[in-house]
Structures are given as structure tokens and as C-alpha cells.
Amino acid sequence: MVDNRKIHCKDSRDIKECFERNSDSKMKFNALWLGNSQIHAINQYQKGQAGSPSMLFNLLKKDSIDLFTMSFGNANIQEHAVQFAYISDKIKLKYVVIGLVFDDTREDGVREDVFKFIQNNPNTRKKIESFTIGEKLISNEINSNGFENIENESDKNLQKKLEPILDNYLSSVSYVWSLRSEIAYHFFVNLRSIRNFVFNISPSTTRKIIPDTYGRNLESLEMMMQLASENDIIMLPYIAPIRSDIKIPYIGSEYSKFKTDVEEMSKKYDNVQFANLENIVDGTFWGFKNSTTLSEELELDFMHFTSKGHEILADSLYKLINK
């Protein structure tokens, strides 16, 4: 919230509030910022500290640009494509900014509360159904179950055996599972913690590319670029900041391929301006996060930074939009 105005939403559950606030705006242009939890999470948070959405909002309003942001944990590019198709139908956008993280290309499918943008809006369906990846998203062929993909075959097999058992059991004893609400999100986080403990996965564990999932996410990104081009929207895809004072948890060649793929794709569209912001936040501004396993020890964080990091990100994006 900025001045009692909601500028950050997650999905179909709260988008109406952002639209209502936007309709009261006197600004000349609209900008949308899409991303994952890096946008809204602040490490070592202290009361009163602002995140980058409100910082960028205040910077842009001086130029008569109205910003609202959509982000949630582990958001993937397929979900951003659906959000963008829906929102660009509802309001006239001048800019769309999207933070791109290699980890997000390992996430697959569209969650229920994002899929409702397709279900409840014929124009959104019409916008994306001409794309091959759009057809898959519309038919909901791609499974999204709240778990990060596991590339090891034995791990996959175990996951396949465990998930139906958990699904059936939890749906019979708890209404939480069926609600898919904020509580369900935290429940999935706990399941991830158990998974991480069992498979000895930590933030420093090397994450590999998952070819099919990667392909679907990059297809979704190109669909966004084409839709932005057709609607005269300036698109600013950026490689999100990552902690670089220690070894990053990716295979170097695969991470380089990800950055190159996005940059080369961007060059095909006059309205798309690529930026690499991976090194803008110094290692001293990242801090630590709560354990992603069953341990109580704090962990290194490659995704989220302190309030100073949010200030740096907001300033960098403001300069990009001005440019």
C-alpha cells in the first residue's frame, strides 16, 4: 500500500483491488511489474522499511506513470504470461517490466488462482489461444502442483508415489487443501521443507536446467513479447539480481544460455528492451533467510535482499524506464 492505495497484487483473488485503485489514478501512463518473491520479500526486515514496488511507484509518479506490481513465491513465466494477457485487456499499459530468474524456468504450470484469469475472461483466452504454448495453458495440460520440479529420475518416481497419497489424505481431512488460499501456500512451503530435508537440498545446491519446463517458460516469454508488440506496449525483461559474492547455485553454461536466450529473443522485437541487472546488488545487501529445510539455522539467500537492495533495484528500473 502507498498512501492507503493498493499497488501490489498476487492473482485473481486481489486483482480487483488494484484495478479499483488504478481507476482513481490521474496519471498519464500505466506500468505493470511482474516477478517472484524477490520483489516483495525483504531480508532482515525492520518496521517501516519499504520494498521496491512502493519505491518504484513513488519514483514513477513524478513522471505521471502509474505502477502496480504482481508477484508471488516461485512464480514462473507461464503464469506471468497469463497475468499479462489478462491485465493488458483490462487497462491500457505503456510498460510491462518482468524480472527473470533462472529458478523460475524450473517451475511448471499455472496455479489455480492464476488460471482463473483464463477461465473467467474470454478476451484473455482469445489473446493467447493462437500460440502453441497458449493452447497448452488454456487446456491446463501442464501440471502445477506446488512442488519444484526434481530432475533426478529416482526422485521423480518417489515424488509421483508420494503426491497422490498426500493429495487424497489431505483432501479428506482438511479444508485447507481445497481452499488454495494463503494458508495453502504456506502449507506447500512446509512440504517443500520436508522435500528439501529428505533430498538434502539447500539454497546452495546446484540447480540444473529441466529442458521441457525451460522450453515452455521461454515460449511463454516470447508470447508475452509478441502480445506486447501487437498492443504497442514497451516491454522491459531484465535478468534479476543474484548474489554473486559466493558461487551461484547454477551450472555456469546453463545460466549463460538462459541469459543469452532471453537477450537474443528480445532483439527480435523493437518494443522490447533487455537489461541484465544480475550484479547490481552488492553481496553485503543480501542477508540471510529462514531455513528451507527442517533446520532452524539461517541460510544464505540468493534470491532476496535487504531494504538497501530494494532501493538499488527500484533506482535501476526507474533509470531503465526513463531511458
Side-chain angles (χ1 to χ4, degrees):
M1 307 279 287
V2 175
D3 297 331
N4 204 35
R5 180 181 168 201
K6 189 171 178 66
I7 64 160
H8 177 274
C9 290
K10 295 180 180 177
D11 48 45
S12 61
R13 291 170 293 178
D14 58 356
I15 188 63
K16 186 177 178 182
E17 297 175 67
C18 280
F19 282 159
E20 287 174 348
R21 301 296 187 184
N22 176 265
S23 66
D24 296 333
S25 171
K26 307 300 182 186
M27 306 288 187
K28 287 178 64 177
F29 305 112
N30 292 308
L32 169 67
W33 184 11
L34 299 167
N36 67 9
S37 57
Q38 183 178 87
I39 292 176
H40 62 256
I42 304 176
N43 272 342
Q44 282 66 68
Y45 173 78
Q46 296 180 22
K47 187 176 180 181
Q49 287 183 334
S52 46
S54 54
M55 293 177 181
L56 185 56
F57 174 88
N58 285 324
L59 289 169
L60 289 174
K61 71 179 181 181
K62 297 182 295 185
D63 300 317
S64 201
I65 299 173
D66 193 42
L67 171 76
F68 76 92
T69 306
M70 294 195 78
S71 65
F72 51 89
N74 303 106
N76 66 52
I77 305 173
Q78 298 163 45
E79 292 171 314
H80 293 324
V82 173
Q83 291 172 314
F84 174 59
Y86 176 80
I87 293 166
S88 62
D89 178 62
K90 294 297 183 182
I91 63 174
K92 184 172 177 56
L93 291 173
K94 177 71 172 178
Y95 305 98
V96 58
V97 182
I98 177 170
L100 299 171
V101 177
F102 181 72
D103 274 352
D104 296 343
T105 69
R106 294 165 42 85
E107 301 285 347
D108 217 2
V110 177
R111 276 166 273 199
E112 181 179 353
D113 289 310
V114 177
F115 189 70
K116 285 178 182 176
F117 289 140
I118 297 175
Q119 284 181 318
N120 301 336
N121 190 262
N123 286 345
T124 301
R125 176 184 294 264
K126 186 176 180 181
K127 275 191 172 190
I128 67 177
E129 65 184 357
S130 61
F131 299 88
T132 301
I133 185 63
E135 288 181 343
K136 292 178 182 178
L137 297 177
I138 288 170
S139 62
N140 209 19
E141 289 177 13
I142 309 165
N143 182 39
S144 177
N145 52 26
F147 287 86
E148 181 179 322
N149 285 288
I150 300 174
E151 61 272 10
N152 182 280
E153 196 60 38
S154 62
D155 293 353
K156 278 186 178 180
N157 292 336
L158 177 58
Q159 182 183 350
K160 287 178 181 177
K161 292 175 182 177
L162 284 174
E163 286 173 7
I165 297 171
L166 287 171
D167 246 340
N168 293 333
Y169 175 72
L170 289 169
S171 61
S172 66
V173 300
S174 175
Y175 72 96
V176 174
W177 191 263
S178 60
L179 286 179
R180 304 286 182 175
S181 63
E182 191 71 18
I183 299 173
Y185 166 73
H186 288 291
F187 188 82
F188 281 128
V189 170
N190 289 334
L191 287 181
R192 284 174 180 267
S193 296
I194 296 171
R195 188 279 313 272
N196 291 347
F197 176 77
V198 170
F199 296 118
N200 194 29
I201 298 171
S202 75
S204 301
T205 301
T206 299
R207 275 94 84 180
K208 299 177 182 178
I209 198 169
I210 304 173
D212 289 347
T213 303
Y214 179 85
R216 284 189 283 269
N217 279 293
L218 268 288
E219 277 187 73
S220 298
L221 181 62
E222 182 146 29
M223 179 173 70
M224 290 181 67
M225 291 179 180
Q226 290 190 39
L227 288 174
S229 180
E230 292 168 6
N231 291 275
D232 296 321
I233 298 169
I234 297 170
M235 185 171 174
L236 299 169
Y238 69 91
I239 303 299
I242 187 169
R243 185 170 192 157
S244 57
D245 58 330
I246 48 181
K247 185 180 182 297
I248 62 174
Y250 308 140
I251 295 173
S253 59
E254 293 184 349
Y255 186 50
S256 294
K257 171 179 166 53
F258 163 62
K259 293 182 287 185
T260 300
D261 285 349
V262 175
E263 184 172 12
E264 291 303 311
M265 185 187 297
S266 301
K267 289 177 181 177
K268 293 159 53 176
Y269 301 92
D270 291 338
N271 63 306
V272 178
Q273 302 297 319
F274 168 82
N276 187 344
L277 304 183
E278 64 178 320
N279 294 318
I280 63 169
V281 179
D282 186 83
T284 57
F285 301 133
W286 287 81
F288 299 87
K289 67 175 180 177
N290 292 331
S291 175
T292 53
T293 68
L294 301 179
S295 168
E296 294 184 359
E297 294 183 5
L298 292 176
E299 296 177 340
L300 291 172
D301 199 334
F302 292 88
M303 184 69 64
H304 313 104
F305 28 70
T306 62
S307 180
K308 180 62 178 178
H310 280 266
E311 181 183 337
I312 294 168
L313 178 58
D315 287 342
S316 298
L317 290 176
Y318 178 64
K319 290 173 184 174
L320 276 177
I321 292 172
N322 266 341
K323 182 180 178 182

